[in-house]
Amino acid sequence: IYYTFFLKNMKKIIVTGGSGFIGSNLVKLLLKKNYFVINIDNLSYSANPYNLKTIVKNKNYKFFKVDINNRKKIFNIFNKYKPVGIFNLAAETHVDRSIDDPKTFIQSNILGVYNLLQSVKKYLLLNKNKLRLVHISTDEVYGDIPKSKRSSEKFPYDPSSPYSASKASADHLIKSFVRTYKLPLIISNCCNNYGPNQFPEKLIPKIIYNIVNNIPLPIYGKGKNSREWIYVKDHCEALIKIFQKGKIGESYNVGTNENIQNIDMAKKLIQIAKLKNFNNKKIKLIYVKDRPGHDFRYALDSNKIKKKLNWKPKVSLQKGLKYTYEWYLDNLNYFSSVSKKLYDKRLGLKK
């Protein structure tokens, strides 16, 4: 009886895409902060039950295998649980895959967001509950950033790939729904994430995977492309801060101001492997043909979230990479759990 009463009064949060990389880390952090968490995920290739295996029996966690394009089911979940917040992380995110198959990205990142917004709109018309939706976007919507600049929230959008164009479209759609329908929506634009549970088609887990398996490390072009990186748990803390204190209709850049070239990232991970006495004598770097429309540099100006919401990252790049490398070594079964899904014809991951 006590638990039923406690559950009824717990604040409920919905995380779409909660079985993916960032989503699963966010789900676990929300549980630690005593929210009841509902995970909605269609379990596409990059989602993995392994990511949440430690919390599946948690009484404050509920999972639904549903696509955000299924408006009827999404609305019914909203209506049943009456959440105070929604974090939308349901998305296709791999640039190379967007080049090969843009349609999937349009369906998920644009139409999926549209259907999610329509469900929110209908829900709020029928319920007086207070609700906030935080949509997780990307720094890639700003396009290629000159070396002397960092993109603030007022920077013009200039996406280069079908992936970043689909995310930019969703951002514009959200802003229009705020203005037209007064929906309680906020956007976050984050830099590159890394950390536990990341699908190994992305740069850092891919390098770790190759180091562990004594496979040469493939680097696009000359490896000079520059990216800004954030440890995933720092990003999740920022998302919760945006949900709690962010202003409706606003966008917040989430970054570290730490940029590093891809070639230097590979070398850092090799050095960490050496410090761990891992047998990597055969590991070497190989340079592969650059992908089409490859942006040279992403760099965010994150002063707004630091000043307005009093947030700042806690984990340095060096410490975060060390934590990440150690996690993958301690969870080698993670690689085998996704081995049948690995696909990257440009960078040489095995199918």
Side-chain angles (χ1 to χ4, degrees):
I1 295 174
Y2 172 77
Y3 178 73
T4 303
F5 174 80
F6 178 70
L7 177 61
K8 186 177 180 180
N9 288 277
M10 284 187 77
K11 290 183 177 180
K12 299 175 182 65
I13 298 285
I14 288 176
V15 178
T16 66
S19 295
F21 165 45
I22 301 173
S24 62
N25 280 279
L26 179 60
V27 165
K28 287 181 275 192
L29 183 59
L30 287 165
L31 288 171
K32 286 182 180 179
K33 293 182 181 289
N34 296 317
Y35 287 100
F36 184 95
V37 182
I38 301 101
N39 173 17
I40 299 175
D41 200 302
N42 69 354
L43 296 182
S44 66
Y45 79 95
S46 60
N48 192 342
Y50 190 100
N51 294 346
L52 293 171
K53 66 176 185 176
T54 59
I55 57 100
V56 288
K57 295 183 180 179
N58 191 311
K59 292 181 180 179
N60 298 330
Y61 171 74
K62 185 73 175 177
F63 171 72
F64 291 96
K65 186 180 184 298
V66 177
D67 192 299
I68 59 172
N69 278 295
N70 191 327
R71 198 188 304 178
K72 182 178 179 180
K73 286 186 177 180
I74 292 294
F75 172 78
N76 287 340
I77 294 171
F78 289 177
N79 218 30
K80 179 179 180 180
Y81 288 94
K82 295 180 169 48
V84 296
I86 301 168
F87 292 90
N88 180 40
L89 292 110
E92 294 289 336
T93 64
H94 192 44
V95 175
D96 287 353
R97 287 178 183 266
S98 80
I99 295 170
D100 294 336
D101 181 20
K103 183 179 179 180
T104 304
F105 287 72
I106 292 168
Q107 290 174 333
S108 179
N109 299 355
I110 302 176
L111 295 178
V113 169
Y114 165 73
N115 282 295
L116 186 64
L117 294 179
Q118 288 290 74
S119 298
V120 169
K121 182 165 158 283
K122 180 180 178 181
Y123 172 79
L124 289 174
L125 284 172
L126 299 175
N127 294 273
K128 295 181 180 180
N129 304 64
K130 290 185 178 181
L131 171 68
R132 285 182 155 213
L133 183 149
V134 179
H135 173 73
I136 288 72
S137 189
T138 172
D139 58 355
E140 296 191 36
V141 297
Y142 299 118
D144 214 343
I145 305 301
K147 193 172 183 179
S148 60
K149 295 184 179 181
R150 305 194 78 86
S151 50
S152 72
E153 290 82 359
K154 295 181 180 179
F155 214 78
Y157 278 21
D158 188 20
S160 303
S161 68
Y163 160 63
S164 56
S166 69
K167 295 296 285 186
S169 298
D171 288 4
H172 289 311
L173 194 60
I174 287 166
K175 290 175 182 177
S176 74
F177 269 62
V178 172
R179 181 163 181 173
T180 304
Y181 304 110
K182 311 303 180 187
L183 294 191
L185 315 173
I186 309 172
I187 297 171
S188 73
N189 296 90
C190 193
C191 63
N192 283 28
N193 280 235
Y194 69 97
N197 299 338
Q198 190 170 26
F199 192 76
E201 66 185 356
K202 298 300 179 84
L203 181 65
I204 289 174
K206 181 187 296 156
I207 290 173
I208 296 172
Y209 174 88
N210 284 21
I211 288 173
V212 169
N213 290 281
N214 281 321
I215 300 172
L217 310 185
I219 303 294
Y220 274 136
K222 296 180 180 180
K224 300 295 184 181
N225 297 71
S226 176
R227 297 293 181 263
E228 181 178 356
W229 295 90
I230 189 171
Y231 191 59
V232 64
K233 292 182 181 178
D234 277 340
H235 181 202
C236 292
E237 290 282 3
L239 291 177
I240 294 173
K241 184 81 78 170
I242 291 169
F243 161 67
Q244 293 173 337
K245 297 185 177 182
K247 186 177 179 180
I248 298 300
E250 296 283 319
S251 295
Y252 294 90
N253 287 344
V254 182
T256 61
N257 287 348
E258 288 190 86
N259 271 66
I260 184 173
Q261 293 181 342
N262 290 345
I263 184 66
D264 294 324
M265 176 62 77
K267 290 177 179 177
K268 273 185 176 292
L269 287 166
I270 291 172
Q271 186 61 34
I272 290 171
K274 288 180 178 178
L275 291 173
K276 292 293 175 182
N277 296 317
F278 192 82
N279 180 19
N280 62 340
K281 294 180 180 179
K282 297 179 182 179
I283 295 298
K284 64 178 182 178
L285 297 166
I286 58 170
Y287 297 94
V288 298
K289 184 180 178 181
D290 212 349
R291 70 184 177 208
H294 196 181
D295 288 330
F296 188 76
R297 181 175 179 266
Y298 301 133
L300 289 174
D301 177 345
S302 302
N303 286 325
K304 180 178 178 179
I305 190 173
K306 292 173 183 176
K307 292 179 180 179
K308 299 289 186 180
L309 304 186
N310 195 31
W311 171 89
K312 63 179 180 180
K314 298 176 182 177
V315 182
S316 70
L317 181 61
Q318 190 63 32
K319 285 185 179 180
L321 290 176
K322 180 175 176 288
Y323 296 156
T324 302
Y325 186 84
E326 289 172 348
W327 185 87
Y328 280 103
L329 283 190
D330 292 338
N331 292 269
L332 290 177
N333 287 337
Y334 178 77
F335 286 127
S336 60
S337 74
V338 299
S339 61
K340 293 181 180 179
K341 300 178 182 179
L342 293 182
Y343 162 69
D344 196 325
K345 64 184 181 182
R346 293 184 177 84
L347 293 184
L349 280 180
K350 296 179 179 179
K351 289 187 179 180

